[in-house]
Amino acid sequence: MASTSDAGDEEDRRTRLCEEFAGLTTTDNIVAQCYLAENDWDMERALNRFFDADMEKVFEESLSHQEPPTKNQKVEEAKAPAAVSIDLMADSLGSSPQPPKDIDSGSRLTLISWNVDGLDTENLAERARGLCSYLVLYTPDVVFLQELIPPYVQYLKKRAVSYLIIEAGGEGGYFTGMMLKKTSVKLLESQIVPYPTTRMGRNLLMAQVTLRGAKVWLMTSHLESCKEHSGERMKQLREVTRQMLKAPDDVNVLFAGDTNLRDAEVVKVGLPTDVCDVWERLGRQEHCRYTWDTHANSNKSLPYTSRCRFDRVLLRPAAHSRVIRLDPHRMVLVGLEKLSCGRFISDHWGIYCSLSTTVNHTS
């Protein structure tokens, strides 16, 4: 028989668990007690059950009110999406994703950039859960996301409580966003720069932050889609680099997003001398070249094979002396494993990138 002291200790433990659960879920102790008791007072299981139930409702209600996207609302869309299939109780990944062998140390800035294909509603909740698995695995300082939809953002806000999420609203019901890790990134200011002649509601999301002692301007965008909109896309690239060059010399500027750019378009526009393409700077490594690969990624049933480097990371390092400067360190593709539903997190691979931080001694 348990002693009175043991029973009292267990009661105190459960009270603390209820208070912690209520704080994490913004509910109350009664709700907390129900979920914890149903899951043998296992905090992780109780939280998973709560968010699974809550987000299933969010996805079902939000998606049921959305109108189907038009042709111009999706870059690589070939046909209308299949019916929504939500299975949050299943394991997120068919096989666990693996981080780089030597995961980047805390002295480096780390990021993930990913077009999450929120307009494809098939298995959307499981795919969003898969994205969260990568956030847990890599714990990036910054996450740049494209093709978000409102229920996807609501899910991330519930699950990724250690991140501050900022969004760039746009026409057509989908948009870009950034996730900033609260323990390493301090947001100073954010703004949305419109593209005046876009026909797809595209814009540039910018955030001024401090990160590990460095001054950084963060930028993300989803540039104009489709081959026939090459001219508008190149105009948008010019605007991105113009904004990058506006930053003071003591500021590092980092852009990551789905550019939809073809290599010939970048050559035609030309990048400013101070701005580098991180993939190129790291030696044009073949293993992380193609982020849109219909040969390897089966999420879209297309009658052709296409391999493009649509998703890119651009960097303009700080040039001022005696300030922290960012330099490219590593890049890999993520999201290469199929989920238990038999699909990938997105029709795009994600980019994981790290940048080293050093004090600039040049004048």
Side-chain angles (χ1 to χ4, degrees):
M1 179 181 295
S3 67
T4 303
S5 176
D6 291 341
D9 290 343
E10 178 62 15
E11 184 176 348
D12 289 343
R13 185 183 75 86
R14 292 183 176 184
T15 298
R16 288 194 300 272
L17 286 173
C18 286
E19 292 173 349
E20 183 179 353
F21 184 99
L24 290 171
T25 58
T26 63
T27 56
D28 55 39
N29 282 14
I30 295 176
V31 172
Q33 185 175 3
C34 289
Y35 276 96
L36 286 163
E38 288 176 357
N39 290 279
D40 298 324
W41 296 90
D42 183 303
M43 176 65 81
E44 184 176 356
R45 284 171 52 193
L47 286 171
N48 283 337
R49 181 62 63 88
F50 172 84
F51 286 127
D52 287 349
D54 191 40
M55 287 302 102
E56 183 173 345
K57 181 180 178 182
V58 166
F59 272 94
E60 287 177 344
E61 290 181 352
S62 299
L63 294 175
S64 66
H65 289 88
Q66 285 189 353
E67 296 181 359
T70 63
K71 290 182 179 179
N72 282 342
Q73 284 180 312
K74 186 71 180 78
V75 180
E76 304 86 2
E77 187 173 23
K79 60 181 182 179
V84 178
S85 174
I86 299 173
D87 181 14
L88 287 177
M89 301 309 296
D91 292 337
S92 292
L93 297 171
S95 58
S96 298
Q98 298 298 319
K101 291 181 180 179
D102 51 340
I103 194 73
D104 293 294
S105 68
S107 64
R108 299 190 181 99
L109 182 158
T110 57
L111 69 91
I112 284 178
S113 182
W114 214 327
N115 179 325
V116 295
D117 194 18
L119 291 175
D120 177 0
T121 57
E122 186 176 355
N123 307 106
L124 185 58
E126 185 176 350
R127 288 162 42 217
R129 187 176 174 184
L131 172 67
C132 289
S133 296
Y134 278 94
L135 300 186
V136 171
L137 187 67
Y138 287 86
T139 62
D141 295 301
V142 183
V143 185
F144 302 92
L145 299 173
Q146 303 84 47
E147 282 197 34
L148 289 168
I149 59 172
Y152 205 119
V153 175
Q154 291 179 53
Y155 181 92
L156 293 176
K157 286 181 176 178
K158 287 284 188 178
R159 278 296 180 96
V161 293
S162 59
Y163 286 86
L164 171 68
I165 301 178
I166 57 177
E167 309 157 35
E171 300 174 9
Y174 66 102
F175 46 88
T176 62
M178 294 184 199
M179 301 175 66
L180 311 178
K181 191 197 289 185
K182 296 176 182 178
T183 56
S184 60
V185 185
K186 180 180 179 181
L187 175 64
L188 304 177
E189 182 182 341
S190 66
Q191 68 177 111
I192 299 170
V193 177
Y195 297 135
T197 54
T198 178
R199 299 179 64 184
M200 300 181 181
R202 307 295 168 84
N203 53 40
L204 176 64
L205 176 62
M206 300 172 53
Q208 297 182 29
V209 306
T210 56
L211 203 167
R212 305 190 189 284
K215 296 180 181 180
V216 185
W217 284 13
L218 303 171
M219 301 181 181
T220 192
S221 189
H222 184 190
L223 302 189
E224 209 82 353
S225 308
C226 304
K227 201 171 189 178
E228 59 269 28
H229 295 293
S230 174
E232 173 62 24
R233 186 163 48 249
M234 289 190 288
K235 285 175 61 177
Q236 293 169 2
L237 174 59
R238 292 187 184 97
E239 177 61 19
V240 169
T241 56
R242 189 181 76 85
Q243 292 292 336
M244 294 181 76
L245 295 178
K246 285 174 62 176
D249 287 346
D250 63 341
V251 172
N252 298 274
V253 187
L254 186 61
F255 169 91
D258 178 4
T259 68
N260 280 309
L261 287 164
R262 283 66 172 171
D263 291 339
E265 294 170 346
V266 180
V267 171
K268 187 173 182 178
V269 173
L271 292 181
T273 305
D274 295 340
V275 176
C276 75
D277 183 312
V278 170
W279 176 78
E280 293 181 351
R281 182 61 59 87
L282 289 172
R284 300 170 175 261
Q285 297 169 319
E286 197 66 22
H287 69 85
C288 55
R289 182 187 190 104
Y290 300 114
T291 62
W292 166 256
D293 186 348
T294 63
H295 175 73
N297 190 313
S298 56
N299 273 24
K300 301 295 180 192
S301 299
L302 300 176
Y304 56 85
T305 297
S306 177
R307 305 178 79 200
C308 298
R309 192 164 67 92
F310 285 154
D311 306 87
R312 302 185 182 221
V313 181
L314 305 178
L315 172 67
R316 196 219 69 176
H320 200 280
S321 63
R322 303 186 186 283
V323 299
I324 295 177
R325 169 192 172 99
L326 299 180
D327 288 294
H329 173 259
R330 176 202 309 276
M331 180 181 286
V332 296
L333 298 182
V334 294
L336 308 181
E337 300 87 2
K338 282 189 176 181
L339 305 170
S340 58
C341 64
R343 305 183 78 226
F344 296 98
I345 289 174
S346 173
D347 57 339
H348 288 244
W349 305 136
I351 294 175
Y352 170 81
C353 182
S354 63
L355 299 106
S356 60
T357 57
T358 57
V359 176
N360 191 356
H361 293 292
T362 61
S363 57

